[in-house]
Amino acid sequence: MKVIGLIGGMSWESTVTYYEVINQTVAEELGGLHSARIVLYSVDFDEIERCQSSGNWERSAEILSDAARALERAGADLLLICTNTMHKVADEVAAAVSIPLLHIASMTADELDRAGVATVGLLGTRYTMEQDFYTGVLERRGFTVLTPGEEDRALVNRVIFDELCRGDIRDESRAAFQRIIDDLAARGAQGVILGCTEIGLLVHPDDPDVPLFDTTLIHARGAALAALEG
């Protein structure tokens, strides 16, 4: 079994889900008392968020690259950045190490292919929804990507940073997200990507009528299966 290196803490609430899902998947696949071999580097999210809001992506790339190198030294065989937004610097992080980085958008695209989805809605931070580092991966794979209107993008971003990243789960925010998901479906989305690793704490796959693709679950389960290969 390969060792999975996790760059976590962005936020720590969703990193807990990564740890849980990876171990559950290994247990399901191997049975008995098996659990995953994991090395975790948890960053200080406040520093990362300040880099995001100020547009200092170079500094955030340095922080995550340092974390990646530490995980490789600790014995990691493959690497995950446990957040969608920070895949903006995925290329820089991947270049800092000699072990493979499993890209969350690419693994989500694989899942969309398996589901036969061609047009998909995307929820995430404003960086993920508005910049092309994430949507570009999906569009190059042939998917049509829909995002909410400007006001709803602002609402989604606010709920992520002001509520979900602080462990604050509110019924009114769940209702707002379900409305936005319904709007995306009405515009033609055959499924909706929960493109922030915290959104799965608020919206669950059985809540809306349209299929949901929780990137945290996709990324974590895919990493566990990759660790069990060969």
Side-chain angles (χ1 to χ4, degrees):
M1 186 192 313
K2 297 183 180 73
V3 178
I4 301 171
L6 302 179
I7 305 178
M10 301 169 286
S11 66
W12 68 261
E13 283 88 356
S14 61
T15 303
V16 171
T17 304
Y18 269 89
Y19 187 82
E20 181 178 36
V21 171
I22 290 170
N23 278 293
Q24 286 174 342
T25 302
V26 168
E28 290 167 3
E29 293 293 316
L30 299 183
L33 296 176
H34 285 287
S35 56
R37 300 175 66 201
I38 294 173
V39 183
L40 169 64
Y41 191 114
S42 191
V43 302
D44 180 1
F45 189 33
D46 182 77
E47 184 177 15
I48 296 296
E49 193 283 325
R50 283 189 279 110
C51 289
Q52 291 175 347
S53 59
S54 66
N56 192 354
W57 298 102
E58 181 177 355
R59 174 57 184 154
S60 63
E62 291 173 355
I63 295 169
L64 297 196
S65 294
D66 285 344
R69 284 187 284 264
L71 289 169
E72 185 173 27
R73 290 194 299 270
D77 298 304
L78 55 91
L79 185 67
L80 273 69
I81 302 173
C82 299
T83 170
N84 288 272
T85 298
M86 292 315 299
H87 278 73
K88 181 173 175 69
V89 298
D91 289 345
E92 292 92 326
V93 175
V97 293
S98 60
I99 57 177
L101 185 149
L102 306 186
H103 197 291
I104 196 168
S106 296
M107 295 177 76
T108 300
D110 292 340
E111 192 71 16
L112 294 172
D113 270 335
R114 285 189 285 269
V117 170
T119 300
V120 66
L122 174 63
L123 301 180
T125 66
R126 61 185 177 91
Y127 312 106
T128 300
M129 291 186 289
E130 295 175 0
Q131 299 183 21
D132 67 356
F133 69 89
Y134 196 94
T135 58
V137 172
L138 299 173
E139 290 168 349
R140 286 190 293 274
R141 289 283 297 270
F143 299 101
T144 299
V145 182
L146 306 177
T147 57
E150 184 176 354
E151 289 187 7
D152 282 339
R153 291 199 305 272
L155 184 153
V156 170
N157 189 76
R158 178 188 60 75
V159 169
I160 290 169
F161 283 104
D162 294 350
E163 298 175 21
L164 301 182
C165 288
R166 302 170 189 266
D168 185 3
I169 311 299
R170 303 184 185 182
D171 288 340
E172 61 268 28
S173 295
R174 179 178 292 111
F177 271 54
Q178 289 177 344
R179 174 188 59 76
I180 293 169
I181 289 168
D182 289 342
D183 289 346
L184 289 168
R187 290 169 53 197
Q190 299 165 298
V192 174
I193 298 170
L194 306 185
C196 171
T197 52
E198 283 79 26
I199 297 178
L201 303 172
L202 181 69
V203 181
H204 307 292
D206 56 351
D207 288 343
D209 294 328
V210 65
L212 300 182
F213 295 85
D214 187 331
T215 55
T216 304
L217 304 184
I218 292 168
H219 205 201
R221 180 168 174 78
L225 295 176
L228 295 174
E229 291 176 355

